Amino acid sequence: MSKPPTQPPEINTVVAAVLAERAHLPGALLPVLHGVQDALGYIPPETVPEIARALNLSRAEVHGVITYYHHFREKPAGRNVLQVCRAESCRATGAESLLAQARARLGCDGAQHLSADGGHSVEPVYCLGLCASSPAVVLNGQLHARMTPQRLNALLDKTSSA
Ligand code: FES
């Protein structure tokens, strides 16, 4: 039997604390995954076996949920996180071109969400509840509605110089 991979103690501590707090909840997997990501910024793949064991699930089940939801990250995010809504209303009002603009400016292509310098992540999201004020983005947790190419550039100017 192979030895499980070692991981930094802080990751073990975080996962243990989240499991102690949430593993007993009905449908605990999503609350646990949210807790781990909230604490670490992502869900390290090496934590999947421990989460699966604690919740009496298979590793494939846990991994399947992590990869199904765009919200969950398997790698650390950049220092700044830009999320661009790609749901219907925002798509109809220019979100795809905003996403392309951000990716081109920051050097993130569709497969690589992290800029080369690690300064920014660009992530798609699917409805932020601001459909009446589309297109909408979130930068570092702050919502911005009625986004335009000019306003997006101004926002990224601030985070690029920070
Ligand atoms: S579709 Fe973008 S906020 Fe709802």
Side-chain angles (χ1 to χ4, degrees), residues 87-95:
E88 189 176 344
S89 177
C90 288
R91 285 180 85 100
T93 52

Side-chain angles (χ1 to χ4, degrees), residues 84-93 95 125-137 143:
V84 180
C85 178
R86 298 184 81 182
E88 189 176 344
S89 177
C90 288
R91 285 180 85 100
T93 52
V125 291
Y126 294 88
C127 199
L128 296 163
L130 288 173
C131 314
S133 304
S134 298
V137 306
L143 286 162

